[in-house]
Amino acid sequence: MNYHNITKDDMKNGDGLRVVLWVAGCSHHCPNCQNPVTWDPDDGILFDENARKELLDIVSQDYISGITFSGGDPLFESNREEVYELIEYIKSVYPNKTVWLYTGYTFNDLKKFVPIGILNKIDLIIDGPYIEKFRDTSLKWRGSSNQRVINVRKTIDTGNIVLHCD
């Protein structure tokens, strides 16, 4: 897996003060995407042991609320295994840290290929592709009104999509 950046002390990509891992690789190619530079999975920097250590050192800080996976698409096929492993590790070592994940897939699509054990460890998913005609800069944590900020655990528990915010 490659990545483009690890953002420290981020307040724009989820609740609280967060670390954001911006991965490389996306097949959605949404017109007017804010991060088209992240589409190529071979671009960016190899997510090696040093990058992993840097990321986990930041996550371990008491003042950090959690981690947000963005990109690109963290669930791009070549990213999944490593992203799943990071989610598993972070939730096992830091169970009170929240995990947010941005993806161009819809939640219904995710249920087809993301193991339920991983879904249960993700607190919030912002789902769906960015669609320019639905662009709305007043929305919290997303760029277009078709995208949803989903409370994953409540959604799994109830069997219905439960939004974190409108």
Side-chain angles (χ1 to χ4, degrees), residues 85-98:
E85 192 277 329
L86 284 167
I87 291 169
E88 289 266 9
Y89 180 82
I90 289 166
K91 282 308 240 188
S92 70
V93 175
Y94 309 106
N96 296 323
K97 304 276 184 176
T98 57

Side-chain angles (χ1 to χ4, degrees), residues 25-164:
C26 183
S27 58
H28 305 292
H29 297 187
C30 303
N32 294 312
C33 168
Q34 72 171 8
N35 292 322
V37 69
T38 64
W39 292 354
D40 183 350
D42 297 321
D43 200 10
I45 306 160
L46 179 65
F47 190 79
D48 60 10
E49 194 54 41
N50 289 332
R52 179 185 164 86
K53 182 180 179 337
E54 177 185 350
L55 179 77
L56 295 176
D57 284 349
I58 300 164
V59 169
S60 74
Q61 301 301 308
D62 289 340
Y63 66 91
I64 294 294
S65 301
I67 184 167
T68 300
F69 293 92
S70 193
D73 193 326
L75 299 178
F76 181 73
E77 192 169 351
S78 63
N79 295 334
R80 292 176 192 165
E81 184 177 332
E82 194 139 15
V83 168
Y84 294 168
E85 192 277 329
L86 284 167
I87 291 169
E88 289 266 9
Y89 180 82
I90 289 166
K91 282 308 240 188
S92 70
V93 175
Y94 309 106
N96 296 323
K97 304 276 184 176
T98 57
V99 173
W100 287 48
L101 187 140
Y102 282 82
T103 182
Y105 296 101
T106 66
F107 191 79
N108 286 338
D109 290 336
L110 296 180
K111 293 188 302 184
K112 297 172 189 169
F113 67 84
V114 178
I116 190 69
I118 297 298
L119 277 178
N120 280 322
K121 290 176 173 56
I122 301 170
D123 297 283
L124 289 136
I125 287 178
I126 298 81
D127 81 333
Y130 170 75
I131 299 176
E132 179 71 23
K133 72 179 178 179
F134 298 126
R135 182 174 194 259
D136 185 343
T137 58
S138 71
L139 297 172
K140 217 170 184 184
W141 298 308
R142 59 204 189 278
S144 58
S145 61
N146 64 293
Q147 297 170 311
R148 303 172 294 182
V149 182
I150 298 171
N151 182 314
V152 178
R153 290 192 184 130
K154 288 182 180 177
T155 295
I156 291 170
D157 288 347
T158 65
N160 297 307
I161 298 290
V162 176
L163 299 179
H164 178 68

